[in-house]
Amino acid sequence: MVVALDVGGTGMKCALVRPDGTSVHTERHHTRAERGPAAVVASILDIAEGLADKARADGLTPLAVGVAVPGVVDESTGTAAWSANLGFRDVPLRELVGTRLGLPTALGHDVRVGGIAEARLGAGRDTRHVLFVAIGTGIAAAHVVAGAAAAGAHGAAGELGHIVVRPDGPRCGCGGHGCLEAVASAASVGRRYTTLTGTPATAAEVVSRAADGEEAAGQVWRETIDALADGLAIAQALYDTEVVVLGGGLAEAGTGLLDPLGVALRRRLTFQTEPRLVRAALGDEAGCLGAALLALDRLPVP
Amino acid sequence: MVVALDVGGTGMKCALVRPDGTSVHTERHHTRAERGPAAVVASILDIAEGLADKARADGLTPLAVGVAVPGVVDESTGTAAWSANLGFRDVPLRELVGTRLGLPTALGHDVRVGGIAEARLGAGRDTRHVLFVAIGTGIAAAHVVAGAAAAGAHGAAGELGHIVVRPDGPRCGCGGHGCLEAVASAASVGRRYTTLTGTPATAAEVVSRAADGEEAAGQVWRETIDALADGLAIAQALYDTEVVVLGGGLAEAGTGLLDPLGVALRRRLTFQTEPRLVRAALGDEAGCLGAALLALDRLPVP
């Protein structure tokens, strides 16, 4: 049994997970990031300890802890190096959790562990080369080969959301212009529709209105698909994966996203082999399950 | 002692290489690709056998063979899947060489094995996360982590030359438009200068004229640097490496390439860590040395 926490900007998904990847207990908590990073860290420690205690009270033995956080994460040192949402700057979270609980602890990046979970247990199962792309408030990717996600030299690999696809495009939260995230994230889709029409709408509403034939929504959605296809064509040229697993809020559009995106991607590839595009299978549990898998990886093979 | 061959579109670099990476004998041959793929394969087999015989005649024992070829290479099956220069289509080169010489044989991709050589023995030595970028007739890259190059699911990872950086740019040999290779390869630099001025020139001449203050050459070179910086910024977002090793003909420009490219790349990065840009150390021996390293990797650890 391992303790798993996926700490997001708004909520924490937590679970006690068996070695086979099934959860025996789940909890959700508000992150309340506005309290500042120290308070968020204190909550993480309390919740993790509470989960371990709960396991023991139920006659189970917690063997390890896995924690996933967003931002720039250095898995090798166990440090949450930087996170816009949580205000983290070089927080030695692996050591803090490990010391508090007295258990082997792994720290991972939320999208990379989500990718690990989708690759091992979800939509990428039985596939060696997987690209997991999470399209929500932002856009990030995890390149997973044989069940392991590439972290890069500084914990910042897979930043698909911050490749420039529209040099004259909107300003991005990172300070650049025309990043894929600034054009095609769920947040950007809503924002661009609002700019065009003056009417506030979520990405889901834009997709639905586009399907109903509304012109402005159709235009925003077509531009979104084109930008995403540009990004995926670049990812395929550099990573050459077998399957692209699409997750995050925008993937809720299902075939409304997958079908036109597949057509647009195919049009952009020349000699490259086309990856299969599939929808993520684990929903918003992927990060928590992935944190559990990281923790399980730290245990000796039985 | 291993037998190593780097088969290029115009020439083959061949060597007998010791386990420590030093060559005791080198040979160069013309590929004469115009003879067709079957004749090129026959030459590869003859030359490889000749090298093994030469080793034995000198009292040495050839233990394995490494062959590098351009194009799409499936290292796992040992197949040269596709090569524009050599006309190869699904040539089972590993098996052909292994059967002829009766030795364990490895087949690799020329730029990936070049990257392995630069990462282990050259400019990327002592660095875990290396991106090797070869800028010559074409542009290709190898992402090397801990001395191993990522091949991708279909042997086509690292195709940095075929990411689109100028959607309205010139047609690329791959059938696309505005690929990095179509704008910034050594061949493209010469071609663009010729289009602009009506005067034929090599990339080296363009660089030299730009340094002398010639306006047209300066414009072509600035556009080249900008396109390369766009490509490297994307590679850094997806791979997050520590060092970028620049090889191929265009890297002969030395600081004339590295200095402005470093400035242009820095301007494009926001939160990403800037990789060091360095010039390749092994010159045109990288591919042959890398083929030798692949062969050495197939031997049991002594």
Side-chain angles (χ1 to χ4, degrees), chain A residues 131 133 160 163 230-241, chain B residues 163 238:
Chain A
L131 186 68
V133 181
L160 184 65
I163 64 174
D230 287 343
L232 291 187
I234 286 173
Q236 187 63 6
L238 296 192
Y239 292 137
D240 181 22
T241 59
Chain B
I163 63 174
L238 296 192

Side-chain angles (χ1 to χ4, degrees), chain A residues 72 82 129 151-160 162-164 174-176 234-242 270-273, chain B residues 72 82 129 151-160 162-164 174-176 234-242 270-274:
Chain A
V72 178
W82 181 86
H129 294 265
H154 318 90
E159 288 285 3
L160 184 65
H162 297 286
I163 64 174
V164 175
C174 79
I234 286 173
Q236 187 63 6
L238 296 192
Y239 292 137
D240 181 22
T241 59
E242 287 168 89
T270 54
F271 64 92
Q272 302 90 343
T273 306
Chain B
V72 178
W82 181 86
H129 294 265
H154 318 91
E159 289 284 3
L160 185 65
H162 298 286
I163 63 174
V164 175
C174 78
I234 285 172
Q236 187 63 6
L238 296 192
Y239 292 137
D240 181 23
T241 59
E242 287 168 270
T270 54
F271 64 93
Q272 302 90 346
T273 306
E274 187 185 332

Side-chain angles (χ1 to χ4, degrees), chain B residues 100-275:
Chain B
R100 173 77 167 267
L101 273 76
L103 292 173
T105 300
L107 180 71
H109 176 265
D110 58 351
V111 175
R112 285 200 287 274
V113 302
I116 289 172
E118 286 289 348
R120 294 199 208 166
L121 305 171
R125 220 168 37 194
D126 308 321
T127 311
R128 186 176 165 84
H129 294 265
V130 176
L131 186 68
F132 174 61
V133 181
I135 314 174
T137 313
I139 295 181
H143 181 218
V144 185
V145 178
H154 318 91
E159 289 284 3
L160 185 65
H162 298 286
I163 63 174
V164 175
V165 294
R166 298 290 177 270
D168 303 322
R171 194 172 174 82
C172 179
C174 78
H177 282 271
C179 293
L180 183 58
E181 175 169 309
V183 182
S185 66
S188 307
V189 169
R191 201 160 46 227
R192 282 169 45 240
Y193 180 83
T194 305
T195 305
L196 200 64
T197 62
T199 313
T202 63
E205 288 162 349
V206 173
V207 173
S208 144
R209 287 173 198 180
D212 291 345
E214 193 201 288
E215 200 176 322
Q219 182 190 325
V220 169
W221 190 234
R222 279 191 303 277
E223 289 171 3
T224 302
I225 294 292
D226 278 343
L228 287 173
D230 286 344
L232 291 187
I234 285 172
Q236 187 63 6
L238 296 192
Y239 292 137
D240 181 23
T241 59
E242 287 168 270
V243 63
V244 176
V245 177
L246 296 160
L250 208 67
E252 307 285 318
T255 53
L257 172 69
L258 290 172
D259 290 353
L261 186 54
V263 171
L265 177 59
R266 198 167 307 136
R267 207 180 295 133
R268 283 160 173 78
L269 299 179
T270 54
F271 64 93
Q272 302 90 346
T273 306
E274 187 185 332

Side-chain angles (χ1 to χ4, degrees), chain A residues 4-59:
Chain A
L5 289 86
D6 175 18
V7 182
T10 51
M12 299 191 209
K13 290 142 203 152
C14 314
L16 294 171
V17 181
R18 281 186 215 273
D20 67 1
T22 57
S23 302
V24 290
H25 169 75
T26 61
E27 291 178 9
R28 298 209 169 196
H29 299 268
H30 292 290
T31 304
R32 294 184 291 132
E34 71 285 357
R35 297 174 299 151
V40 172
V41 169
S43 292
I44 291 171
L45 297 176
D46 290 345
I47 291 167
E49 191 168 45
L51 281 160
D53 289 344
K54 155 98 183 132
R56 290 192 194 95
D58 293 351

